[in-house]
């Protein structure tokens, strides 16, 4: 939880205005940061710039002093009020009536019975109290006869409520001091980090720690007053049992905190809803249609889902009834293939839900065949499907997720990226190239699903200091998205489509060969994309100098060193997998190293496991199940033979070019992963059917081409993440035209490189 939310959540609602205005100070810091960048871009004289920096720091110090004075005044007022109230209360305590001493030896009897909400632990004190309650009920009639003693009991009840109220208020005052002390520490740390200053240690030592609310003596006195209330309560109502009194009073304090927090939480939710409602009003509200002949309405999104599902099901039924291949298994498998493709393409239901439906349909339809062509029994078919759904490929995907989780959780990826960006300077063109290179590099190891989100957070100091309407923001965000798509070609775990591609490559190329083929394409593609972005957005002209990204100042820990060591070991073994196949057998075995090491040592926990992208895993499993079905039914071979007849006279480079552009079009309009699930198996079978087989060449080329689709905002996870980014006013940075203008030419260039440069390297390595 951010500290601003923590401050709001833990503050006493009635005292909200008297806490440090943390959000206001943070906005001032960001405004000063923006003013500094504007001063550099406006070419102010160095002497004036130094003077401006001093004035900016004075602005912050003035506001900080005002906040400190506000805390001092409120604390002094509240302290005097509560301490005086406690003194007055102690002096006016009711005097025990000695004439009834045999019946009332102490105050625990009448008051304990009134506290029906406290559940005490099973102890001697609690047993005594229960006994006192029973005796109180038998004696209450005697007390009620005397009006004087009724009044006496009322005074005791009033005393108890006042003591509890004082205890709660004093405890809240103690929390008030601690929260404000943390607020000063946090805001000064933020100031020094954002503005490259060194104010925190001096101001805390000379100003905050010397201010009366925060000096140790004041805190000690406050704690003494809280203990004083506990002792008075114990003497009055608990027969001197201090521990029992403390438990009772803390129970009331806890109830008050829960009530306050619930109130604050409701207010925060209400404000968030108002904010979201405001954004909805600014955008286009979702259309609602009336259902004919009824009083009901239906949302357009739900209507589209229903139509897509109905279309898919009707098409599925029609294809089941049409004999296209002269073989029932092939006909049914083709119907399933088209049904899954349409469901995935339209996203009628979530992609992973469609994947879960595939194995359910494979078995009842009797699609699987034995080697002799007969229909496979349901039990054997189920076993074959499930064996393919959890393979070494899926384990490699899980291993990649564990590496990504550890690198992100312990700030290793962010620290690396921030150090690289801090050396990129302030010129927009070099910052753009640096962040694109970082995005592409990180994608190789933490996937192009998670990398864009990390990189967007890294450039936040730049985005918040840009002038309104500056083209630099869209340029940087689009650069990260496209670089992440390009970087998705970098390694077998860089993107889900690569995982699927590796499944259809025999022998497995290993990380070393994959790097050798993909890196030249990535480097040239990145430079080409960078050039297109500079031509379209002209960032240097719009903003000559950007805010410099600050490197991480956190010290390197032993845990981080250990994580990096396991990371390097895993990557090294993956690169050497081909030569170690005799001992390890499969890349999935290597993937278990980070899994059992990180989870076994507690570096990753249950929550991290839950955070894995299980939807991507299930999507890949569904694709693998569909792949074994189209292979076993003979459909894949039949389709490949038909395609082979049309391309058998073409050179492999021409065949690769045809498939690359086919996949480019397909992956532009639907998910990259879906494109790989549907087309890569066909490409592999075509490659095997050629006069001179080149299955690995065509499969890897097709897999790389799946990453080339970048022309729309829905083309791949990075683009979908980028289009959701908004500025401080809630306005999106990017529109569909931005992806069309830059993404389409970049996609074409990447595809050309795949079947030219990539083809040359793949032939050189023997594909």
């Amino acid at each position: 939880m951010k500290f601003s939310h923590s401050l709001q959540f833990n503050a006493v609602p009635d005292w909200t205005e008297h806490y440090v205005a943390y959000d206001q100070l943070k906005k001032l810091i960001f405004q000063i940061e923006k003013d500094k960048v504007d001063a550099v871009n406006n070419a102010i004289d160095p002497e004036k710039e130094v003077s401006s920096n001093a004035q900016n720091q004075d602005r912050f110090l003035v506001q900080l002093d005002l906040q400190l004075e506000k805390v001092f005044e409120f604390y002094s007022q509240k302290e005097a009020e509560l301490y005086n109230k406690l003194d007055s209360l102690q002096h006016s305590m009711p005097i025990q009536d000695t004439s009834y001493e045999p019946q009332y030896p102490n105050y625990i009897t009448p008051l304990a019975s009134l506290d029906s909400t406290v559940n005490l632990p099973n102890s001697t004190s609690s047993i005594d109290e229960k006994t006192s309650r029973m005796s109180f009920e038998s004696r209450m009639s005697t007390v009620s006869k005397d009006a004087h003693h009724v009044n006496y009991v009322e005074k005791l009840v009033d005393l108890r409520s006042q003591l509890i109220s004082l205890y709660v208020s004093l405890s809240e005052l103690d929390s008030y001091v601690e929260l404000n002390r943390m607020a000063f520490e946090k805001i000064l740390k933020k100031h020094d980090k954002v503005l490259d200053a060194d104010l925190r240690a001096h101001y805390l030592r000379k100003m905050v720690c010397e201010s009366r609310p925060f000096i140790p003596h004041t805190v000690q006195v406050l704690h003494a007053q809280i203990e004083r209330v506990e002792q008075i309560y114990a003497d009055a109502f608990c027969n001197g049992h201090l521990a029992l009194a403390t438990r009772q009073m803390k129970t009331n304090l806890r109830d008050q905190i829960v009530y306050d927090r619930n109130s604050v939480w409701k207010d925060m939710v209400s404000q968030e809803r108002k904010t979201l409602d405001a954004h909805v009003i600014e955008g286009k509200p979702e259309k609602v249609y009336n259902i004919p002949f009824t009083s009901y309405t239906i949302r357009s999104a739900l209507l589209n889902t229903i139509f897509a599902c109905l279309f898919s099901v009707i098409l599925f039924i029609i294809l089941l009834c049409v004999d296209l291949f002269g073989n029932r298994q092939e006909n049914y498998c083709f119907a399933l293939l088209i049904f899954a493709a349409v469901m995935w393409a339209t996203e009628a239901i979530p992609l992973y839900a469609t994947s879960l439906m595939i194995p359910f349909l494979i078995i009842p339809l009797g699609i699987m065949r034995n080697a002799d062509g007969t229909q496979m029994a349901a039990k054997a078919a189920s076993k074959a499907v499930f064996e393919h759904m959890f393979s070494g490929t899926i384990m490699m995907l899980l291993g990649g997720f564990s590496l990504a989780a550890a690198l992100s959780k312990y700030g290793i990826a962010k620290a690396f990226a921030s150090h690289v960006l801090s050396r990129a300077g302030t010129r927009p063109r070099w910052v753009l190239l640096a962040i694109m290179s970082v995005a592409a590099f990180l994608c190789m190891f933490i996937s192009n699903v998670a990398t864009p989100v990390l990189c967007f957070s890294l450039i936040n100091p730049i985005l918040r200091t840009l002038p309104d309407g500056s083209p630099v923001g869209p340029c940087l965000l689009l650069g990260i998205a496209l670089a992440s798509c390009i970087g998705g070609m970098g390694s077998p775990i860089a993107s889900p489509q690569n995982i699927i591609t590796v499944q259809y490559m025999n022998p497995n190329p290993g990380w070393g060969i994959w790097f050798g083929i993909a890196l030249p394409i990535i480097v040239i593609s990145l430079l080409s994309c960078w050039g297109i972005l500079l031509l379209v957005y002209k960032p240097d002209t719009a903003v000559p100098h950007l805010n410099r990204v600050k490197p991480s100042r956190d010290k390197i820990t032993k845990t981080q060193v250990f994580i990096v060591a396991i990371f390097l070991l895993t990557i090294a073994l993956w690169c050497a997998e081909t030569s170690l196949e005799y001992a390890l057998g499969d890349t999935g075995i290597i993937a278990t190293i980070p899994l059992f090491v990180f989870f076994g040592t507690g570096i990753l926990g249950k929550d991290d496991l839950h955070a894995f992208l299980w939807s991507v895993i299930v999507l890949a499993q569904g694709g693998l199940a569909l792949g074994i079905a189209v292979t076993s039914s003979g459909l894949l071979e039949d389709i490949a033979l038909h395609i082979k007849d049309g391309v058998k006279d073409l050179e492999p480079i021409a065949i690769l070019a045809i498939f690359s552009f086919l996949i480019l079009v397909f992956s532009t309009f639907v998910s990259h992963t879906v494109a790989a699930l549907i087309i890569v198996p066909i490409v592999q079978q075509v490659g095997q059917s050629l006069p001179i087989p080149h299955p690995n060449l065509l499969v890897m080329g097709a897999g790389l081409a799946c990453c080339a689709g970048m022309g729309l905002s829905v083309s791949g996870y990075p683009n979908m993440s980028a289009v959701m980014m908004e500025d401080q006013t809630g306005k999106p940075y990017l529109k569909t035209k931005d992806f069309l203008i830059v993404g389409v030419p970049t996609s074409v260039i990447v595809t050309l490189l795949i079947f030219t440069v990539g083809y040359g390297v793949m032939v050189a390595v023997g594909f």
Side-chain angles (χ1 to χ4, degrees):
M1 182 184 290
K2 292 183 178 180
F3 180 75
S4 57
H5 293 161
S6 178
L7 179 63
Q8 185 179 0
F9 192 57
N10 290 288
V12 180
D14 293 340
W15 300 355
T16 303
E17 296 180 357
H18 303 287
Y19 286 84
V20 172
Y22 184 84
D23 286 335
Q24 179 182 332
L25 291 173
K26 189 166 70 171
K27 288 179 182 178
L28 177 60
I29 292 171
F30 291 156
Q31 183 59 48
I32 292 172
E33 180 188 36
K34 188 174 185 299
D35 292 344
K36 286 179 66 176
V37 176
D38 291 343
V40 172
N41 288 322
N42 292 332
I44 295 178
D45 293 337
E47 294 182 1
K48 292 184 178 179
E49 187 175 342
V50 171
S51 175
S52 176
N53 290 340
Q55 291 176 0
N56 285 332
Q57 182 158 312
D58 288 344
R59 285 167 58 194
F60 180 73
L61 283 173
V62 167
Q63 292 300 318
L64 208 59
D65 290 342
L66 288 174
Q67 295 300 317
L68 186 59
E69 184 179 352
K70 178 177 72 174
V71 172
F72 171 82
E73 290 180 353
F74 179 76
Y75 177 84
S76 300
Q77 173 193 343
K78 230 34 203 174
E79 180 190 55
E81 175 188 329
L82 295 176
Y83 290 4
N84 290 335
K85 186 176 180 180
L86 178 56
D87 292 339
S88 175
L89 186 63
Q90 190 172 25
H91 292 150
S92 63
M93 284 180 61
I95 301 174
Q96 186 176 358
D97 191 344
T98 56
S99 62
Y100 282 83
E101 189 170 354
Q103 291 84 8
Y104 300 100
N106 52 62
Y107 297 131
I108 185 173
T109 302
L111 269 298
S113 65
L114 297 175
D115 189 8
S116 59
T117 62
V118 179
N119 295 318
L120 298 176
N122 189 13
S123 64
T124 303
S125 299
S126 61
I127 293 172
D128 292 343
E129 186 178 1
K130 290 177 181 177
T131 305
S132 300
R133 289 182 180 180
M134 293 172 64
S135 62
F136 168 72
E137 291 177 0
S138 64
R139 297 195 301 265
M140 194 62 193
S141 59
T142 304
V143 178
S144 62
K145 294 177 182 179
D146 192 333
H148 169 73
H149 293 292
V150 170
N151 184 52
Y152 175 69
V153 171
E154 290 177 353
K155 287 182 178 180
L156 287 176
V157 172
D158 182 59
L159 171 64
R160 180 180 180 276
S161 64
Q162 290 188 62
L163 283 172
I164 290 174
S165 176
L166 260 175
Y167 182 82
V168 170
S169 296
L170 288 169
S171 299
E172 288 177 337
L173 190 62
D174 186 35
S175 172
Y176 173 83
V177 172
E178 180 61 19
L179 275 175
N180 282 294
R181 183 189 62 77
M182 290 178 61
F184 281 115
E185 287 186 1
K186 294 284 186 182
I187 201 64
L188 285 164
K189 182 179 179 181
K190 174 76 71 175
H191 173 271
D192 289 356
K193 181 180 179 181
V194 172
L195 301 179
D196 255 344
D198 191 19
L199 181 62
R200 179 170 176 259
H202 176 76
Y203 193 90
L204 284 175
R205 186 178 65 255
K206 293 294 184 182
M207 300 298 293
V208 177
C209 292
E210 295 296 327
S211 181
R212 188 168 178 277
F214 305 104
I215 60 177
H217 176 70
T218 302
V219 177
Q220 290 172 6
V221 171
L222 178 56
H223 289 169
Q225 296 297 324
I226 294 174
E227 293 171 2
R228 181 183 169 194
V229 174
E230 292 172 349
Q231 189 61 56
I232 294 173
Y233 187 93
D235 294 339
F237 306 110
C238 298
N239 200 22
H241 289 86
L242 185 60
L244 178 61
T246 302
R247 282 200 300 271
Q248 289 190 20
M249 301 191 81
K250 284 186 176 179
T251 299
N252 287 276
L253 174 62
R254 190 161 53 246
D255 292 342
Q256 182 65 34
I257 291 173
V258 169
Y259 174 79
D260 289 345
R261 287 186 173 178
N262 284 340
S263 300
V264 172
W265 180 253
K266 289 176 183 177
D267 290 341
M268 292 172 69
V269 170
S270 176
Q271 292 174 8
E272 182 67 18
R273 284 176 176 170
K274 288 179 181 178
T275 304
L276 294 175
D277 289 344
H279 286 181
V280 170
I281 292 172
E282 290 174 3
K284 292 182 179 179
E286 187 177 5
K287 290 183 179 179
V288 177
Y289 299 99
N290 292 319
I291 300 177
F293 310 110
T294 69
S295 59
Y296 297 102
T297 59
I298 186 170
R299 294 178 293 108
S300 60
L302 179 59
L303 187 63
N304 292 336
T305 297
I306 293 173
F307 278 146
C309 288
L310 283 176
F311 175 75
S312 302
V313 171
I314 292 171
L315 183 62
F316 181 49
I317 294 172
I318 292 173
L319 290 175
L320 286 175
C321 300
V322 176
D323 185 6
L324 296 174
F325 298 92
N327 181 282
R328 188 178 67 84
Q329 280 84 15
E330 289 187 33
N331 288 331
Y332 284 7
C333 190
F334 180 73
L336 177 60
L337 177 65
I338 298 302
F339 172 69
V342 174
M343 291 288 285
W344 275 329
T346 59
E347 294 190 46
I349 60 176
L351 298 177
Y352 57 86
T354 299
S355 291
L356 291 170
M357 187 166 47
I358 289 172
F360 169 75
L361 293 175
I362 290 173
I363 307 305
L365 290 174
I367 291 173
M368 304 286 287
R369 293 196 304 191
N370 295 308
D372 59 1
T374 59
Q375 181 177 327
M376 189 179 292
K379 188 172 183 179
S382 300
K383 184 178 179 181
V385 169
F386 288 131
E387 282 178 350
H388 280 78
M389 286 185 69
F390 199 94
S391 61
T393 304
I394 298 299
M395 282 303 301
M396 190 163 68
L397 190 58
L398 287 170
F401 284 163
S402 66
L403 290 175
L407 292 173
S408 300
K409 181 177 180 178
Y410 290 89
I412 299 171
K414 189 171 184 178
F416 164 78
S418 64
H419 275 85
V420 172
L421 289 177
S422 67
R423 289 165 173 77
T426 60
R427 291 290 300 278
R429 64 174 59 198
W430 303 123
V431 173
L432 174 62
L433 181 60
I435 191 63
M436 290 177 67
S437 302
V438 165
F441 178 78
L442 291 180
C443 279
M444 299 178 189
F445 308 107
I446 63 174
S447 87
N448 68 347
V449 179
T451 296
V453 179
L454 171 63
C455 291
F456 294 153
S457 67
L458 284 173
I459 64 168
N460 190 50
I462 297 175
L463 296 177
R464 67 179 177 234
T465 56
L466 291 173
D468 294 337
S470 171
V472 177
C475 179
L476 290 173
L477 293 174
L478 191 56
I480 292 171
L482 299 183
S484 298
C485 289
I486 295 170
M489 297 185 287
S491 74
I493 63 168
S495 57
Q497 54 267 28
N498 291 3
I499 292 288
I500 295 162
T501 300
V502 170
Q503 178 73 16
Y504 291 96
M505 297 184 73
N506 188 20
N508 189 315
W511 279 54
I513 294 177
W514 190 291
F515 276 143
I517 297 170
L519 283 179
I521 301 173
I522 291 174
V523 172
I524 300 173
S525 299
L526 273 181
L527 293 174
S528 301
C529 181
W530 177 59
I532 295 172
L533 285 167
L534 294 180
L535 286 174
V536 172
Y537 290 99
K538 299 179 175 60
D540 284 0
T541 303
V543 181
H545 297 279
L546 301 177
N547 188 26
R548 187 184 295 272
V549 175
K550 312 297 187 302
S552 175
R553 296 180 180 178
D554 297 334
K555 293 183 179 179
I556 298 175
T557 64
K558 293 180 181 178
T559 303
Q560 290 175 325
V561 173
F562 180 71
I563 291 171
V564 171
I566 297 299
F567 168 78
L568 294 176
L569 173 64
T570 305
I571 299 300
L573 290 175
W574 269 334
C575 291
E577 187 269 338
T578 304
S579 58
L580 297 174
E581 189 174 4
Y582 73 95
L584 297 174
D586 192 271
T587 52
I589 300 300
I590 300 171
T592 60
I593 294 175
L595 284 168
F596 72 75
V597 169
F598 290 156
F599 285 101
T601 58
I603 289 174
L604 296 179
K606 182 172 63 175
D607 292 339
D608 301 301
L609 184 64
H610 292 166
F612 279 9
L613 295 173
W614 292 103
S615 59
V616 174
I617 294 172
V618 172
L619 177 61
Q621 288 179 320
L624 297 177
L626 184 59
I628 186 61
V630 295
T631 303
S632 175
S633 67
L635 174 66
L636 195 60
E637 184 179 1
D638 206 346
I639 293 175
L641 289 174
H642 283 84
I643 296 176
K644 187 200 73 170
D645 292 339
V647 300
K648 63 182 179 180
D649 297 328
L650 299 177
E651 294 294 325
I653 188 173
I655 300 173
L656 178 59
I658 292 171
F659 277 117
S660 295
F661 277 109
L662 173 66
I663 293 175
L664 170 62
V665 174
F666 199 79
S667 62
T668 298
F669 292 96
V670 297
S671 166
H672 294 173
T673 308
V674 173
L677 289 172
I678 296 172
I679 300 180
V680 167
I682 299 174
V683 173
Q684 187 248 7
Q685 197 69 28
V686 171
Q688 286 182 339
S689 304
L690 293 176
I692 301 178
H694 292 284
N696 273 13
L697 185 148
L698 293 183
V699 167
M700 184 158 186
L704 296 178
C706 290
C707 299
M710 316 174 208
L712 294 174
S713 58
V714 295
S715 303
Y717 293 105
N719 286 15
M720 288 187 278
S721 299
V723 79
M724 294 170 62
M725 293 294 293
E726 298 178 344
D727 61 17
Q728 295 178 350
T729 63
K731 181 180 178 182
Y733 281 103
L734 294 169
K735 298 179 180 178
T736 301
K737 70 174 184 179
D738 294 300
F739 292 97
L740 290 171
I741 294 171
V742 180
V744 170
T746 302
S747 299
V748 173
I749 291 172
V750 173
T751 306
L752 291 172
L753 289 171
I754 288 170
F755 67 80
T756 53
V757 175
Y759 176 82
V761 179
M762 284 188 284
V763 170
V765 298
F767 278 9

